[in-house]
Amino acid sequence: MQGAARSLLLNGKNAVLQHVRLGNQILRPIASAHFESTVPARIDEHGFERTTISDILKEKGKGADGSWLWCTVEDTVYDAVKSMTQHNVGALVVVKPEQEKSIAGIITERDYLRKIIVQGRSSKSTKVGDIMTEENKLITVTPETKVLKAMQLMTDNRIRHIPVIDDKGMKGMVSIGDVVRAVVSEHRDELDRLNAFIQGGY
C-alpha cells in the first residue's frame, strides 16, 4: 500500500484518468491536467514516515513522556515482575541505584520465562541485574527516530520493547503495540488525504 501511495503521488499525476473509458471515448490528458493544476504544492509535504517516536511518547500522555516504569539492578526479579503485572506492561527499564536517568539494561517477561521459570530459579532470591539484557546489548532509538524505522528494528531483532534515549539520558520506552498503532493511524490519515485528492478535495 505504501508503494502504491507513493506511486500515485510521485509518478501518477499525469496518468490519472488517462485510461478510464467513458462509452467509446477515452478521457485525454486534459482531464489529468485539471487534477494537476488544482493540487497545491503542499500535497508533497504529506506522506508516510512522518511520525516519530517523540510523537508516540506525547500521544501516550504526559506521564509517559520522560516518566517511565523502572526498577534497579538490585531489585529482586519477583518485585520486578510484580510491578509489570500491576501496571500491565511487559518490560521495565533497569537503572543503577540512585541513578534513574542512567540506564543499566531492560528486563522483560521473556527474560523471566527463559531465565527463571525454565531454569527453575527462584524469582525472590535472584536479582534483576542477574537476568536483565545489559545496556551494551540493547537496541535503542531516539525521540527523532521515525516510527517505521523503529518497527523495522523491533521486527528484525524480534523484540517487543525498545528504550528511547537522547543525549541527556533515558526519555521513555515504547512497545511494538505503540508502534503498530502509530503506523496504522498514519496510514489511515494518508489514505484520507489520497481519497480527498482523487475526489478533488485539494
Side-chain angles (χ1 to χ4, degrees):
M1 183 176 291
Q2 181 176 349
R6 288 187 174 176
S7 176
L8 175 58
L9 290 176
L10 298 178
N11 302 315
K13 290 181 180 178
N14 293 325
V16 175
L17 299 181
Q18 282 185 347
H19 301 294
V20 177
R21 291 184 178 274
L22 182 60
N24 295 323
Q25 300 273 326
I26 297 180
L27 297 180
R28 296 301 179 185
I30 186 171
S32 61
H34 170 72
F35 270 72
E36 185 172 6
S37 63
T38 59
V39 179
R42 69 175 183 273
I43 188 69
D44 293 328
E45 297 174 4
H46 298 301
F48 295 106
E49 304 183 25
R50 296 172 294 111
T51 307
T52 64
I53 293 299
S54 178
D55 295 325
I56 289 182
L57 292 180
K58 292 175 182 177
E59 183 69 21
K60 290 175 71 174
K62 185 177 180 181
D65 190 357
S67 178
W68 26 270
L69 297 172
W70 55 272
C71 61
T72 75
V73 293
E74 296 298 321
D75 289 333
T76 65
V77 173
Y78 176 85
D79 287 335
V81 173
K82 183 178 179 180
S83 179
M84 289 186 217
T85 302
Q86 290 175 338
H87 294 94
N88 194 31
V89 297
L92 296 177
V93 171
V94 183
V95 299
K96 300 172 184 177
E98 300 180 0
Q99 298 182 44
E100 294 180 15
K101 287 290 184 179
S102 180
I103 185 171
I106 186 175
I107 181 172
T108 68
E109 294 170 325
R110 186 179 298 175
D111 292 324
Y112 173 66
L113 290 172
R114 292 181 175 180
K115 301 173 184 178
I116 297 294
I117 299 299
V118 173
Q119 295 181 19
R121 300 165 70 177
S122 170
S123 63
K124 292 187 176 181
S125 62
T126 304
K127 299 291 182 66
V128 168
D130 295 334
I131 71 166
M132 70 180 185
T133 300
E134 297 179 351
E135 178 187 9
N136 59 359
K137 297 179 181 179
L138 286 180
I139 306 296
T140 64
V141 294
T142 71
E144 291 73 34
T145 301
K146 300 294 185 182
V147 165
L148 288 181
K149 175 63 176 178
M151 176 180 280
Q152 181 181 351
L153 285 172
M154 298 173 84
T155 301
D156 291 347
N157 292 280
R158 297 185 179 183
I159 57 177
R160 295 166 53 200
H161 303 85
I162 194 163
V164 185
I165 300 175
D166 64 9
D167 55 1
K168 295 181 180 179
M170 186 77 183
K171 298 297 292 182
M173 185 157 61
V174 296
S175 69
I176 188 65
D178 296 328
V179 170
V180 169
R181 281 190 292 272
V183 170
V184 169
S185 177
E186 184 173 300
H187 283 203
R188 185 182 297 115
D189 290 344
E190 185 65 15
L191 288 174
D192 289 342
R193 283 193 292 273
L194 286 172
N195 187 50
F197 165 59
I198 292 171
Q199 295 182 5
Y202 278 95

